[in-house]
Amino acid sequence: MKSYLSTLLLFIFLLSSCQNKRTKTPNIQSGTQKMVDTLRYFVKHTDPLKDYYASELRANYYKEEMEKADPRKRATLMYSWLKELINSGDNKTAIASIQDFISNLKLDINEMDKNSRYFFELLALAYLRDGELENCVANHTAESCIFPLAENSIHTLKSGSTEAIKIYKQILTRFPEDLNSRWLLNVAFMTLGEYPDKVPSQWLIKGLKPEKKQSPVAPFKNVAVGMGIDVNELSGGVCLDDFNNDGNLDIVISSWGPDHQLRVFISDGKGAYTENIEQSGIKGITGGLNLVHADYDNDGLLDVFVLRGAWKGMDGQIPNSLLKNKGNGQFEDVTFDSGLLSFHPTQVATWADFNNDGWLDLFIANETEASAQSSHPCEFYLNKKNGTFENVASKVGLNVKGFFKGASAGDINNDGWIDLFLSNLDGSNYLFLNEGASSPEQLKFKDITKLANVAAPWHSFPTWFWDYDNDGWLDIFVSTYDSRHMNKVGEDEALQMLNMEGDVRYPKLYKNKGNNLFSDVTEGVGLNRVMYPMGSNFGDLDNDGYQDFYLGTGAPDLRSVVPNLMFYNNGGTSFQDISYEVGMGHIQKGHGIGFADLDNDGDQDIYAVMGGAYPGDVFFNALFENPNNQNTWLTLALEGTTTNRSAIGTRIRVNVSMANGKDKYFYVVVGTGGSFGSSSLQQEMGLGDATKINEIEIKWANKNQTVERFTEVALNKRYSIKEGTQKAVEMKQPSFEFAKGGGHEHYHH
């Protein structure tokens, strides 16, 4: 690996030298072009033995090895080849090849043993996937793959699911304890519109189509179809915000496919979005499993950080990208000049002003596998206020190592210093207390994980700070993701629905008790259930003033088709699973999730990046329009002056008079939400049945914790507030309806 990186660095040096020789004046696109060429280098040098998700290359490798292998090894190589064919999306070739293999060896499905079973399982999966591609992808609708399936999303081409059902029945006859196959059998019957009536009773899993219950939230509708924003790619990230400063929120998305273009969709303020890859200045900037945005250089334009290399181990030492916003929807890759160039696998970063100097710093949590030969400590970049950063992780006590999948910044003790929480897929989580500093050089963090009681769960993924109970103190949500069960997600979901015990782990909700202490309230609030989320975020579905959350679930294994999960916050006392009731139980893999009022109507819509890890596991992104605007609301777009321009970390407290005559406080902290998906930085606050806003208190995230108060504000309005002006200026962009059937082509890969 060292020689590989040495070759790459030499390549980058020569590239830079050639550019300097070609022109006497600086080329403003040189940073972008260097990153484009660097990313192409990585694609060209992909090693199929190290990159487990390069399925097409791996399929070719196994086929070549199989053709020259000893007959005793051929079956194992055959299985690997067939599996990679399915992972790459070539299901029809896989079906024909498996059938030939079974026929040539005269394998009898009625007498399958534990060895031949693997090939029959592959055949069933290939049929199931083929049916999905023919129906849900080729004939995609807004309701496709959202449980319980609507009538217009039932498969019209039935052969895929029909053939899969035949095989799963035989597998379960021989191996009745196989809960993965049982789960997929039930899913297959539902795709044909035959669940639960035609599912054999001994294998029925009740709950896939639950009885209708009263929901506190009206159903959402996926309106992305026909708008040109329902990109059909792999897992990736999303940023929702105003990237051209016209007052309307835009959409930036990525897909982790190494040759998948980063996309910028600009809102026209009338319900439609436009994309111009050439004009955006980032043509060739590809890949990225996650995105986080902020104004790192305080120029009033929101920038984007692209994270790469996650899950790829030794083949994941791919550089991240810092995309500087130049205005008018244009970006430039400034990674090389900013000091952020590094080669570590990651999908996790968070922006915050950790030293209170008015400039945003950047923490990047990398992935170091316990058994890996290479080490990838975390990086902590202090902003040097001139467009560059310096990695001081070892100086401040943050050069920790782990397989980190989430990072969140927040002030846990209200002392004005931003602390840090890390979720770890393969070990203890970490909570670092910011001990403050009189100068950047004195900044220090202290590990208080055990003291605070937040080390669990052992296998963790998405995480965030939030004030779920509106008491003015930041709490912690961290979801489990049991890496031991990466190929058993369906099995664990079946266990949950069948009320069977199993070796499963639950998420944690930690309530802030003050004094740097937290209590585990997971069971008491009803969140002790199986979850396998990656992308996720939180927001207020019905403007009642309490934060709900949406989890994009699944795993790389193609059998991992389980519903995404929406949880409703019952006034800070408990959470209720309303995934099916609100039409958001999507069973495709869920990744980047963002909440934002995209249509300026006062309630938060949700954009979800769908798609899995393997090339054959693409799916269309979704935009869920929020129909819930009965409660009152307030939107605040803050601009810092002595505080960082994005106002990240600033605390907002709104005092209102409620319909019952009592006063109530609502709290939010400016940020982009969860650790996998980036919501709007404008704070879209629900205020329940408030009748009047008495006061807005803003505690700016600067070294003096300056406090400003505003009383001349009205309900159901949008305001911009610039630090120090003592004015709340109404933003008067009109609301609009999303364009229906815009006629844009779907993006396919």
Side-chain angles (χ1 to χ4, degrees), residues 11-32:
F11 165 78
I12 293 172
F13 172 76
L14 293 174
L15 176 66
S16 178
S17 299
C18 290
Q19 286 179 335
N20 291 335
K21 290 177 181 178
R22 283 200 300 265
T23 177
K24 295 181 180 180
T25 58
N27 179 0
I28 62 171
Q29 294 300 320
S30 62
T32 300

Side-chain angles (χ1 to χ4, degrees), residues 239-241 243 291-294 302-304 351 672 678-679 681:
C239 295
L240 304 179
D241 225 310
F243 289 97
L291 307 172
V292 287
H293 71 282
L302 292 172
D303 314 293
V304 177
W351 294 99
T672 57
S678 205
S679 297
L681 283 165

